[in-house]
Amino acid sequence: MRYDEAIEKLNSASAEELFAKIEKLENRGELSSEEVKNLLEETVGALFSASKEVKSEELYRVVRNGGKELCDHESTLTEESPLFGKDYIRFWADPIMPFVDGKIAEGETVSLMTYRKSVKENPLALLLEGFPEDSNVFDILEKDGLSENGRKNYLFVGKFIKNELMKDEKDGELIRKIKDLLEGEEQCTALCYSHDGADYVAMRKDVADIYYICTSVIVCRLDWMENKGEMVEVTPLSHSCGFVVPGKEIKYDEFGEVGTFTFEMDDYR
């Protein structure tokens, strides 16, 4: 929706009616697909698209090895995002949340992948949950005509989206419908959202390697996780030799006696 049209719609919407529609979406078990679609258009559809640059110099992923000790080709490490579908790969701005979000079990062996920025330009990502309540952007929005009622409506819809993104059992179909509404006709390069200081990024597969290159794959075993990801300790088993290039076989070296690696969330916030 156009920026000025969205502001007008947010201003004029009845907060009580909007809240009632959101409540129906939150308890949508018995709603038809058409009813869900209509309610999303009447709520999420009132928002204008917001975006920000992804400035992370490094991004991370954790991929299950599917029972294999080593994954020998890049294509075996690019499974589709469970939330955003086959066109997107999901990344994180720290090496801890991939273990948490992927529900990796202690003792499980996985591939931890590190990506480094390969160009100066930053990819532009659609901000899925909208601007947070303390954002300075609201000063600009108010100058552009956003009323107090419009602000409350914007934040309430944004809170609904954020809650859906943070649920343990996420409804991928609903989130993809939200994404489609927010991005409109033009498919976005990337999508992003954040929670408790952790940044989540999903990037289109056809453009991800323009901005980032996979510099390493570490095959490791998760030893333990503390406080839902405040700290993670892994035992490294093997690491890739050089950059991971699509279409080329991945060669590995053993780590030898190096002990364990510990990642702490405080180092990435």
Side-chain angles (χ1 to χ4, degrees), residues 88 123-126 183 186-191 202-208 211:
Y88 289 87
L124 197 63
L126 179 71
E183 71 179 354
E186 187 173 346
Q187 191 179 33
C188 297
T189 297
L191 315 163
M203 203 171 300
R204 280 200 347 240
K205 286 183 179 181
D206 60 343
V207 297
Y211 295 98

Side-chain angles (χ1 to χ4, degrees), residues 153-180:
N153 288 339
Y154 179 95
L155 291 172
F156 193 77
V157 175
K159 182 180 178 182
F160 160 69
I161 297 171
K162 193 174 188 71
N163 287 343
E164 291 297 320
L165 288 165
M166 290 300 109
K167 282 182 178 177
D168 286 338
E169 297 300 327
K170 303 176 182 69
D171 183 346
E173 183 179 358
L174 185 83
I175 290 171
R176 285 192 290 275
K177 287 178 179 177
I178 290 172
K179 172 192 77 73
D180 291 344

Side-chain angles (χ1 to χ4, degrees), residues 102-206:
K103 294 181 171 59
I104 307 302
E106 291 184 2
E108 189 172 356
T109 297
V110 296
S111 293
L112 171 61
M113 306 176 69
T114 302
Y115 292 75
R116 287 283 300 175
K117 193 83 173 299
S118 57
V119 294
K120 290 182 179 180
E121 295 79 13
N122 297 319
L124 197 63
L126 179 71
L127 194 59
L128 282 173
E129 83 269 44
F131 299 110
E133 187 172 2
D134 59 355
S135 173
N136 293 332
V137 171
F138 283 104
D139 294 337
I140 300 171
L141 295 177
E142 288 172 11
K143 290 178 181 177
D144 288 345
L146 187 70
S147 68
E148 182 60 24
N149 183 63
R151 181 176 182 274
K152 288 179 180 178
N153 288 339
Y154 179 95
L155 291 172
F156 193 77
V157 175
K159 182 180 178 182
F160 160 69
I161 297 171
K162 193 174 188 71
N163 287 343
E164 291 297 320
L165 288 165
M166 290 300 109
K167 282 182 178 177
D168 286 338
E169 297 300 327
K170 303 176 182 69
D171 183 346
E173 183 179 358
L174 185 83
I175 290 171
R176 285 192 290 275
K177 287 178 179 177
I178 290 172
K179 172 192 77 73
D180 291 344
L181 273 174
L182 291 176
E183 71 179 354
E185 296 180 0
E186 187 173 346
Q187 191 179 33
C188 297
T189 297
L191 315 163
C192 67
Y193 55 101
S194 61
H195 180 64
D196 285 349
D199 292 326
Y200 300 71
V201 179
M203 203 171 300
R204 280 200 347 240
K205 286 183 179 181
D206 60 343

Side-chain angles (χ1 to χ4, degrees), residues 27-242:
N27 302 283
R28 57 188 174 275
E30 297 184 3
L31 295 180
S32 69
S33 178
E34 189 65 23
E35 287 173 323
V36 170
K37 178 184 175 183
N38 290 337
L39 284 170
L40 285 174
E41 288 176 348
E42 293 167 6
T43 54
V44 177
L47 302 185
F48 52 87
S49 298
S51 60
K52 73 172 186 178
E53 292 183 350
V54 178
K55 297 182 179 180
S56 301
E57 288 298 318
E58 285 189 341
L59 292 175
Y60 303 88
R61 297 173 59 225
V62 165
V63 179
R64 285 185 164 89
N65 290 5
K68 297 180 180 179
E69 183 178 347
L70 301 174
C71 295
D72 55 5
H73 281 86
E74 185 264 353
S75 60
T76 63
L77 295 166
T78 54
E79 85 285 3
E80 69 178 60
S81 162
L83 273 186
F84 304 111
K86 63 182 180 179
D87 293 335
Y88 289 87
I89 304 175
R90 227 169 13 148
F91 300 92
W92 288 258
D94 65 77
I96 297 172
M97 289 310 298
F99 287 94
V100 178
D101 215 52
K103 294 181 171 59
I104 307 302
E106 291 184 2
E108 189 172 356
T109 297
V110 296
S111 293
L112 171 61
M113 306 176 69
T114 302
Y115 292 75
R116 287 283 300 175
K117 193 83 173 299
S118 57
V119 294
K120 290 182 179 180
E121 295 79 13
N122 297 319
L124 197 63
L126 179 71
L127 194 59
L128 282 173
E129 83 269 44
F131 299 110
E133 187 172 2
D134 59 355
S135 173
N136 293 332
V137 171
F138 283 104
D139 294 337
I140 300 171
L141 295 177
E142 288 172 11
K143 290 178 181 177
D144 288 345
L146 187 70
S147 68
E148 182 60 24
N149 183 63
R151 181 176 182 274
K152 288 179 180 178
N153 288 339
Y154 179 95
L155 291 172
F156 193 77
V157 175
K159 182 180 178 182
F160 160 69
I161 297 171
K162 193 174 188 71
N163 287 343
E164 291 297 320
L165 288 165
M166 290 300 109
K167 282 182 178 177
D168 286 338
E169 297 300 327
K170 303 176 182 69
D171 183 346
E173 183 179 358
L174 185 83
I175 290 171
R176 285 192 290 275
K177 287 178 179 177
I178 290 172
K179 172 192 77 73
D180 291 344
L181 273 174
L182 291 176
E183 71 179 354
E185 296 180 0
E186 187 173 346
Q187 191 179 33
C188 297
T189 297
L191 315 163
C192 67
Y193 55 101
S194 61
H195 180 64
D196 285 349
D199 292 326
Y200 300 71
V201 179
M203 203 171 300
R204 280 200 347 240
K205 286 183 179 181
D206 60 343
V207 297
D209 58 2
I210 295 174
Y211 295 98
Y212 289 87
I213 185 169
C214 181
T215 56
S216 75
V217 179
I218 297 175
V219 180
C220 58
R221 183 183 64 246
L222 175 61
D223 293 328
W224 55 265
M225 187 184 300
E226 183 178 290
N227 292 335
K228 296 183 178 179
E230 287 299 310
M231 187 179 296
V232 164
E233 182 180 274
V234 301
T235 295
L237 306 173
S238 302
H239 63 91
S240 59
C241 305

